[in-house]
Amino acid sequence: MRKDLGICLETGVEIGPALPVTSPIDGFYKDVQEMGGGRWDRSSLIRRLRGRR
């Protein structure tokens, strides 16, 4: 997921669209990776929001 979000962010820099939600979501997935959830699915964001490890 972070790879794809990174591509979106890079493309946004190149062509200029506003992506106000993309960067925070990438940060959420970074937090999930740091929690050991690098291979978890999208539901991992719920764990992140609840602060569970």
Side-chain angles (χ1 to χ4, degrees), residues 28-38 40-53:
F28 294 162
Y29 278 110
K30 181 178 183 275
D31 294 345
V32 167
Q33 284 181 319
E34 290 172 357
M35 292 169 55
W40 297 346
D41 64 15
R42 281 178 239 128
S43 67
S44 64
L45 291 178
I46 295 170
R47 287 185 188 181
R48 186 262 176 203
L49 292 171
R50 291 180 179 166
R52 293 186 185 166
R53 293 184 181 260

